[in-house]
Amino acid sequence: MTVTGTAHPPKIKVERLWKVFGPQPDKVVGTPLAGLSRAELRARTGCLAAVRDVTFDVLPGEVFVVMGLSGSGKSTLVRCLTRLIEPTSGQVHVDGEAVRSMSPRRLRELRRHRVAMVFQHFGLLPHRRVVDNIAYGLEIQGVGRAERHRRAGDLLSLVGLDGHEHQYPHQLSGGMQQRVGLARALATDPAVLLFDEPFSALDPLIRRDMQAEVRRLHAEVGKTLVFITHDLAEALSLGDRIAVLRDGELIQVGTPEELVGAPADDYVADFVRDVPRADVLTVRWIVRAARDGEALADQALPAGTVIRDAVPRVLRADRPVPVVDDDGLLGVIDAEQLLPALVGHRPPVPA
């Protein structure tokens, strides 16, 4: 599935990407074997199709989340974007440049300057102080010691680690170590940040703090983020759009609202079943048409208002509340529309 209709060219474009592990993987793609299920393919050929014919775009400045259960292929997919794992077939473009056609030198430049990665296991250098861990990518680039320490100092402030520059990784908590990893990724000023389940090893409270930190940093620095997670709450919290993988296949790409309100199939529906819909969906999902001659409340609600936030206004009104978007009146809502959404019934897909 490819997202279209944007005025900006994609930052990352993935087209018909496959990664097959095992003997003679090239003989799987483009043959009848490609249509076999993962289990059948492994039984017939000994091959594992970790990523199967995946296509999507990531827009500039977007937080694009790839979500799936363990073994769904999401970590393999993100590593294929910079050829840390070599794709079997398909194309990946970053800023319009074909990654699979890059020379080794050009690929090193991509990884050092344009795309950075934050891993689940922080990968910090234990014998180096925090400031030198953050500045490591700049050191690889040949930046002088004074300049790289200056830039590392700026990033220490950005990620809330002022005063810790001379400590070693083992002296920091898990959350602080992950902040060092985040600062290190930002140090080279990459256009794209790839996160491979960076917070899954953290305690829940620290994990929530780090999610908030990512949202804050994204608002401040405006990078394009690709974020891998198996956690639906994390995906809904962070993602502008979410891609759902199952057994290496892309099942659906959409906003959190689209996944919760209009899941593509039963698999996605099961994923989002326990999500409080009133906390995710906006009032555009529950409007009804205004009836002829019906008296409406004076103050309208924007169509992008989250249902939960609309409750006080609607319940205080003695008449149906109009809902408007850029094109004018979209419809109206009253308590009759609110109640099913609040108790978890799935609303109809808006026209």
Side-chain angles (χ1 to χ4, degrees), residues 14-180:
V14 177
E15 297 177 284
R16 307 209 67 176
L17 191 69
W18 284 79
K19 177 57 188 178
V20 180
F21 295 100
Q24 298 182 309
D26 293 335
K27 294 189 176 180
V28 173
V29 182
T31 74
L33 294 172
L36 298 178
S37 70
R38 179 178 278 190
E40 290 172 328
L41 180 65
R42 181 180 288 175
R44 289 269 300 272
T45 69
C47 289
L48 172 67
V51 177
R52 302 174 65 102
D53 201 18
V54 168
T55 296
F56 62 85
D57 293 346
V58 180
L59 308 180
E62 179 177 35
V63 181
F64 187 87
V65 175
V66 180
M67 185 186 73
L69 299 176
S70 178
S72 62
K74 54 191 184 298
S75 291
T76 300
L77 172 61
V78 76
R79 283 164 168 76
C80 285
L81 300 183
T82 57
R83 288 172 58 193
L84 291 175
I85 292 177
E86 194 70 40
T88 303
S89 70
Q91 292 296 327
V92 177
H93 290 82
V94 176
D95 287 328
E97 185 175 4
V99 174
R100 295 195 68 204
S101 300
M102 289 180 177
S103 66
R105 178 178 177 180
R106 187 64 176 155
L107 192 56
R108 285 194 299 271
E109 291 176 356
L110 175 78
R111 295 170 181 168
R112 289 179 180 177
H113 298 276
R114 295 161 59 191
V115 180
M117 195 157 187
V118 181
F119 296 95
Q120 173 183 347
H121 302 292
F122 317 123
L124 303 182
L125 302 171
H127 61 287
R128 290 195 171 207
R129 299 174 303 162
V130 165
V131 66
D132 293 309
N133 266 282
I134 293 173
Y136 182 70
L138 297 171
E139 182 179 347
I140 295 297
Q141 291 181 4
V143 177
R145 178 184 176 89
E147 173 62 14
R148 65 178 186 258
H149 278 195
R150 183 193 67 77
R151 288 163 66 177
D154 292 341
L155 287 164
L156 278 163
S157 298
L158 185 66
V159 300
L161 286 176
D162 277 325
H164 296 281
E165 58 268 27
H166 298 303
Q167 291 185 281
Y168 289 87
H170 74 273
Q171 297 173 306
L172 305 178
S173 68
M176 293 171 74
Q177 289 182 44
Q178 194 57 283
R179 288 172 187 264
V180 175

Side-chain angles (χ1 to χ4, degrees), residues 255-306:
T255 65
E257 194 174 1
E258 289 167 343
L259 262 64
V260 171
D265 63 7
D266 289 343
Y267 180 77
V268 182
D270 284 342
F271 248 119
V272 302
R273 176 178 297 157
D274 296 325
V275 174
R277 287 174 174 75
D279 294 344
V280 177
L281 300 182
T282 56
V283 293
R284 70 171 68 249
W285 290 79
I286 59 172
V287 296
R288 63 168 173 82
R291 302 182 182 109
D292 290 342
E294 185 174 31
L296 304 180
D298 293 333
Q299 192 171 11
L301 276 171
T305 305
V306 174

